[in-house]
Amino acid sequence: MSKTAIFPPGSREQAQQIKVSPGIVSGGHVFLTGMTGSRPDGSMPDDPEEQIRSAFEKIGAVLAERGLTHDAIVEMTTYHIGIHQHFDLFNEIRGQYVGDPFPAWTAVEVAGLRRAGAIVEIRIIAELTS
């Protein structure tokens, strides 16, 4: 099975530093690396809404490289620090990016994420043919 890496503009250098692809095309699907809500300069916003929106925007940038939108998402796993403090906000914002039929979704509370200050990391699988 072949696979192809996806790098939105401006992401290659940072991704190569930690040896990761923002997205991989394989077997008719696009698999995205977990996205946090860091800004383009790498800083992490203190505002939960800004973080959540930024994560979804970064997901959109990876999908756009293959001509896809958030509608192509078939499965989503989200990792949260303090899930009960921001779940309603997260769910509200998520609903602005994904629609019916909604992707399968698992939300998990975790003790920590790799990026300091991050409250959420979103992992996506999207259908390439959407």
Side-chain angles (χ1 to χ4, degrees):
M1 182 178 295
S2 67
K3 57 184 182 177
T4 305
I6 303 172
F7 294 93
S11 69
R12 186 176 294 271
E13 184 178 324
Q14 183 181 14
Q16 288 181 335
Q17 288 175 3
I18 60 172
K19 302 191 180 347
V20 66
S21 297
I24 290 281
V25 175
S26 178
H29 288 87
V30 179
F31 300 85
L32 274 68
T33 293
M35 299 288 174
T36 62
S38 60
R39 296 181 181 110
D41 67 4
S43 64
M44 188 64 68
D46 290 328
D47 178 44
E49 182 173 353
E50 185 180 350
Q51 273 196 44
I52 295 164
R53 287 190 188 284
S54 178
F56 277 104
E57 291 297 319
K58 288 164 57 176
I59 288 165
V62 176
L63 294 173
E65 287 299 303
R66 296 304 294 217
L68 302 172
T69 67
H70 291 89
D71 290 336
I73 298 170
V74 295
E75 193 272 340
M76 173 184 300
T77 304
T78 57
Y79 304 92
H80 302 258
I81 295 177
I83 192 170
H84 299 289
Q85 286 76 43
H86 68 264
F87 183 83
D88 290 341
L89 175 64
F90 181 89
N91 196 38
E92 177 185 326
I93 294 168
R94 180 185 72 94
Q96 296 168 15
Y97 288 90
V98 298
D100 197 5
F102 296 99
W105 178 29
T106 302
V108 180
E109 172 112 38
V110 296
L113 297 167
R114 186 188 75 78
R115 290 298 311 266
I119 62 164
V120 69
E121 186 165 328
I122 307 169
R123 183 182 169 277
I124 296 294
I125 299 173
E127 184 180 20
L128 189 56
T129 58
S130 291

